[in-house]
Amino acid sequence: MPSETGARAPQARPALRSLLFVPGTKVEWLGKAGESGADAVILDLEDAVPESRKPHARGQVAEAVAQAEANAFGNMAVFVRINALDGWEAVGELRAIARPGLSGIVLPKVSSVRDVWLADRLLGWCEREAGLPAGRIALVPLLETARGLRDARDIAAAAPRVAYLGALTAPGGDVERAVGYRWTPEGTGTLALRARVLLDARAEEVPHPVTGLWTRIDDLGGLRAFAEQNRDLGYEGMMAIHPSHVPVINEVFSPGPEELDRCARLVATVEQAQAHGVGAVSFEGEMVDEAMVATARLTLRRHARERGPDSPGAPEH
């Protein structure tokens, strides 16, 4: 379904391996977030902020967004989780933070396409008011109700600005209460749910779906196993609740040097075979063809920064 604000081609969005939550009352933690290596930070105006402190937090977050516009946080993207769009509070938050330094809005409690339509329209007005291009600010709907999870594909298609959509399955939170699964560290109760939402997101070409969360702060081994399971499913990143989780997540969602070197060798082998009129060829014990080359090229292109411009097989700029 097209957005009510009119169909537009979606803007290019960067892949994000790690999105670290920071309470909106603790913007001084942004330095630690940057030091952790997080690709993005999510300043939280919703659950992490007591009701009495929300007005103060809004001002702090707006100032942080202004600092991001001045490149105060380097390459770390800044997102904000606003309150649910069931009152005027969230509208005021959008008007306060819709500035050039804002990469995206995280929208909680999404249960229907209409939630996305409303957010899309409000963001469009805010962009126009701030002199930003239409669709500049990404929208990340959080599927925290059973209905929202069921309608994930329609929600993904509701507006071109929808990005990073995935399933969040933290223990004891809104999703567990809504669905009734029993959370386990192995993820058995949520595996099918995460897989189905990922397929819905991919079917609607949502760029770079992410998932989460792992809430056991000191269990980095469990985090790694959970992140690897999500990577194996096809997710490209995870949300995080502690800076110590970021290096693990970044490592899991980044191909290592050996994988990148293998991709480069695969591309070279198949291209050489194609030059001699051969479409499929044996490569290190496997039969490969153009389909595998396309996947290898995509991996190399997305992760050129890990290889450096002079590495063998690195893409040209």
Side-chain angles (χ1 to χ4, degrees):
M1 298 180 184
S3 163
E4 286 193 341
T5 57
R8 302 184 188 97
Q11 295 205 10
R13 312 286 182 191
L16 299 174
R17 301 165 299 176
S18 51
L19 299 89
L20 176 63
F21 276 100
V22 171
T25 53
K26 299 289 185 180
V27 294
E28 65 271 18
W29 291 359
L30 282 168
K32 291 183 178 179
E35 291 171 3
S36 74
D39 289 341
V41 65
I42 302 173
L43 292 168
D44 191 3
L45 289 172
E46 195 213 12
D47 287 346
V49 180
E51 197 66 34
S52 61
R53 300 204 62 191
K54 287 186 186 291
H56 177 66
R58 179 197 299 180
Q60 287 188 306
V61 169
E63 176 59 30
V65 172
Q67 292 175 0
E69 181 182 356
N71 204 36
F73 312 118
N75 293 327
M76 185 173 66
V78 174
F79 289 70
V80 176
R81 178 163 74 168
I82 63 171
N83 285 276
L85 285 173
D86 54 5
W88 288 108
E89 182 176 45
V91 178
E93 291 168 353
L94 287 177
R95 292 194 68 187
I97 62 179
R99 298 292 181 268
L102 182 67
S103 293
I105 290 293
V106 178
L107 183 64
K109 310 295 190 294
V110 173
S111 61
S112 73
V113 168
R114 292 193 176 277
D115 294 334
V116 177
W117 283 347
L118 177 57
D120 181 45
R121 173 159 288 185
L122 290 171
L123 280 170
W125 288 338
C126 290
E127 286 167 338
R128 185 164 51 196
E129 187 176 53
L132 295 172
R136 162 70 172 74
I137 299 172
L139 179 62
V140 187
L142 294 186
L143 308 176
E144 298 177 290
T145 67
R147 182 180 174 188
L149 289 160
R150 183 199 63 187
D151 294 343
R153 184 168 180 180
D154 288 341
I155 288 169
R161 71 171 78 242
V162 172
Y164 309 108
L165 179 72
L168 304 186
T169 55
D174 294 318
V175 182
E176 180 174 324
R177 186 171 64 255
V179 176
Y181 59 73
R182 180 172 294 174
W183 187 89
T184 64
E186 298 77 20
T188 51
T190 64
L191 179 62
L193 181 62
R194 284 178 280 132
R196 207 217 72 193
V197 172
L198 175 67
L199 184 59
D200 286 340
R202 291 294 192 189
E204 296 302 331
E205 299 183 350
V206 170
H208 316 303
V210 301
T211 186
L213 288 158
W214 185 261
T215 60
R216 296 183 173 184
I217 294 175
D218 296 326
D219 185 4
L220 298 184
L223 166 66
R224 181 176 294 276
F226 184 63
E228 288 175 346
Q229 185 183 78
N230 287 314
R231 177 64 193 91
D232 290 345
L233 284 174
Y235 282 100
E236 296 186 24
M238 275 182 57
M239 295 180 179
I241 52 91
H242 196 271
S244 66
H245 291 185
V246 170
V248 174
I249 291 171
N250 283 350
E251 182 180 342
V252 169
F253 287 96
S254 299
E258 292 183 1
E259 182 180 349
L260 291 171
D261 287 341
R262 183 182 185 279
C263 287
R265 294 196 306 273
L266 189 154
V267 171
T269 298
V270 174
E271 287 181 347
Q272 184 178 27
Q274 290 172 341
H276 291 86
V278 178
V281 64
S282 175
F283 170 75
E284 298 182 5
E286 298 181 20
M287 289 302 298
V288 295
D289 57 19
E290 181 57 34
M292 290 75 169
V293 169
T295 302
R297 288 193 185 113
L298 178 62
T299 299
L300 291 170
R301 185 166 63 249
R302 285 182 175 173
H303 300 279
R305 66 172 180 263
E306 278 85 358
R307 298 180 61 80
D310 299 322
S311 301
E316 297 180 359
H317 299 282

